[in-house]
Amino acid sequence: MPAAANPAVAKPVPALPDPGALLAWYDRHQRRLPWRAPSGLRQDPYRVFLSEIMLQQTTVVTVAPYYDAFLRRWPDVEALADAPLEEVLSAWAGLGYYARARNLHACAKAVCERHGGQFPADEEALLALPGIGPYTAAAIAAIAFERRAAPVDGNWERVVARLFAVADPLPKARAKLRVLALTLLPRARYGDFAQAMMDLGATICTPRKPACALCPWQSPCAARALGAPERYPVKAAKAARPTRQGVAFLAVRADGAVLVRSRPPKGLLGGMSEVPSTPWETGGSVHPAIHAPFSASWTALNATVTHVFSHFALELQLWRADVPADARAPAGHRWVLPGGFDAEAFPSVMRKVLAHAQPFFTGPE
DNA sequence: GACCCGTGGTA
DNA sequence: TTACCAAGGGT
C-alpha cells in the first residue's frame, strides 16, 4: 500500500489573490496622473476616453503633454467633433499610431450623432465606436461609469501571468489570461481596481526586476514561489525588422518655404503631411529621378535620415533643390513656410527630414 | 491569428 | 548597438 501524503507536512495551498489587498495598496500608493479624478470621484467620460486612446501602446510621460494640450483646445466631445480632422492630426503629430487620431475624431462625431453627446456606459455600446476595442471599452465602462469590467492591458497580462505562472506564450495565452483576470475582480470599486492593476504593473510588477518585496500579492504569486517572476509572461519570438530605403526630395524656395504634400488618408502615416519622396522599398531598386516632384537641379545631400517604425526601419537619402521664390507647386503639393510647420501634421520622420532645410528650421530638438 | 500601424526611453 | 517595452485597434 503506497504511503499516503501526510496532511501534517503538506505544503500550504497558496491563498487566492485577494482583490481587497490590492485596493488597500492602491489607496496608499496610487499614482497621481492628469487624467485621474480626485479620490472618490468619477472622472468625466470624455477625459477617460481621451486618455485611454492616447495611452494605447504609449507611455504616461509621452502622453501627458498631449493630453493637456488636447483638453485645453477641445474641452469636451462636442468641441472635438466640430474640429477639422487636419487640426486633430496636427495636434497629434509626434504621438504615433495616427489611426488613433483619425478614430478619435470619428468617435467623437459618432458619440455626438448617435448618443447625443453622451458616452454610452455599456461595454457593448462602447465597443461599437471607432477606435474603441475590448480594452478601451472595458476601461471607460469601469473607470468612468463604475461598471463591472476587466480592461486587460499589458499590465494586467503580466500580473496575471505571474500570479498563476502561466507558461503558455503570448499572444496565444491571451484568452486564458483573460479568464484568470476575471476571477480577480472585486465586488465593487471596478474603476479603482482597473487602475490599481495598471499601477501595480507599472511600479511593482514591472517587466524586469519586479519589486516583489513591496507587492501586496507576493504571498499568492505562483511565479514568485517558483523563484523567477521575471520569466513571465512567456512571449513568442518576434519577426525580424526589415529595412526599407528611399529618397526624399527637399525642395526649398528662396523665401524658405518647403514643398509638402499630404499622404493618403489611410495606411502608414495616413493623412499626415510629408516631404515628397520615392516609395520606400526593401530592395531600394527604384530610380529616384522618376519620382521627383518636378525637374530641377537636384543635389544629393551628404545626409541620411534613419527612422524606426513598428515593423520596418527606414533609410532616407536626401535630395535638395533650391528654387526661385515664384516657383509653382505641382498638383497635390503646397509650399509651407517654416512658420507654418507647427500647424502641419508632420510625423517624427518628416521632422528629421525638415531639419535639413536649414537654416530656416532647426528640427525636432 | 497574423499582420499592419509610431515613437521615445531604457538596459 | 540591439532589443525590448508602453493603458491596443483595425483588417
Side-chain angles (χ1 to χ4, degrees):
Chain A
M1 185 176 185
N6 184 345
V9 297
K11 286 185 178 179
V13 175
L16 286 175
D18 172 22
L22 180 63
L23 285 167
W25 171 85
Y26 181 72
D27 287 336
R28 294 200 293 170
H29 299 288
Q30 66 176 286
R31 294 175 293 173
R32 304 201 190 292
L33 300 173
W35 40 87
R36 282 191 178 165
S39 188
L41 298 181
R42 277 189 203 178
Q43 182 57 286
D44 169 17
Y46 171 70
R47 299 188 184 205
V48 177
F49 158 71
L50 179 61
S51 66
E52 290 300 341
I53 300 298
M54 287 185 167
L55 286 162
Q56 288 167 7
Q57 299 291 288
T58 310
T59 60
V60 164
V61 171
T62 300
V63 164
Y66 284 87
Y67 174 81
D68 290 338
F70 266 69
L71 201 56
R72 188 166 52 249
R73 187 165 177 179
W74 299 295
D76 51 52
V77 69
E78 291 87 356
L80 182 60
D82 289 342
L85 175 60
E86 301 74 45
E87 291 188 14
V88 176
L89 289 177
S90 170
W92 195 276
L95 247 194
Y97 284 141
Y98 299 99
R100 292 185 297 171
R102 288 179 257 127
N103 286 329
L104 179 86
H105 187 244
C107 186
K109 284 184 172 296
V111 167
C112 290
E113 293 167 5
R114 316 211 291 248
H115 298 282
Q118 300 295 119
F119 278 87
D122 293 334
E123 265 187 277
E124 294 76 8
L126 288 163
L127 197 52
L129 294 166
I132 295 184
Y135 162 78
T136 305
I140 296 174
I143 297 170
F145 297 107
E146 206 52 47
R147 294 297 182 94
R148 186 178 189 278
V152 180
D153 68 338
N155 290 302
W156 281 61
E157 287 180 348
R158 187 168 57 256
V159 169
V160 171
R162 288 174 177 170
L163 277 177
F164 300 97
V166 176
D168 312 60
L170 285 172
K172 209 182 68 177
R174 204 146 272 154
K176 177 182 290 186
L177 291 175
R178 173 165 186 83
V179 170
L180 291 170
L182 289 171
T183 71
L184 298 174
L185 286 180
R187 295 175 177 276
R189 297 187 63 186
Y190 303 113
D192 283 347
F193 187 79
Q195 296 174 92
M197 289 287 281
M198 297 170 197
D199 279 13
L200 187 71
T203 65
I204 303 290
C205 197
T206 53
R208 295 172 289 241
K209 296 188 177 182
C212 298
L214 303 177
C215 182
W217 278 344
Q218 57 182 268
S219 165
C221 183
R224 178 170 179 270
L226 291 171
E230 68 281 353
R231 275 195 56 236
Y232 300 87
V234 180
K235 299 198 174 182
K238 295 180 181 176
R241 193 183 343 245
T243 299
R244 299 182 190 175
Q245 283 87 221
V247 173
F249 301 98
L250 207 42
V252 183
R253 216 167 55 178
D255 59 357
V258 175
L259 191 69
V260 166
R261 68 187 179 189
S262 292
R263 293 180 60 87
K266 292 184 179 181
L268 182 71
L269 307 177
M272 303 295 285
S273 304
E274 70 171 0
V275 170
S277 75
T278 67
W280 305 341
E281 312 260 334
T282 51
S285 59
V286 295
H287 296 271
I290 298 176
H291 299 278
F294 50 68
S295 60
S297 57
W298 294 99
T299 301
L301 298 183
N302 186 20
T304 303
V305 166
T306 63
H307 192 77
V308 179
F309 292 94
S310 53
H311 56 295
F312 69 92
L314 177 65
E315 294 176 359
L316 273 183
Q317 303 299 322
L318 299 182
W319 286 18
R320 175 167 174 155
D322 290 87
V323 301
D326 61 352
R328 293 300 190 99
H333 297 63
R334 59 187 182 275
W335 294 102
V336 177
L337 288 162
F341 285 178
D342 283 345
E344 286 286 334
F346 288 126
S348 289
V349 62
M350 288 304 150
R351 297 204 164 257
K352 292 181 184 178
V353 170
L354 289 167
H356 295 270
Q358 307 275 10
F360 306 104
F361 183 58
T362 54
E365 279 301 323

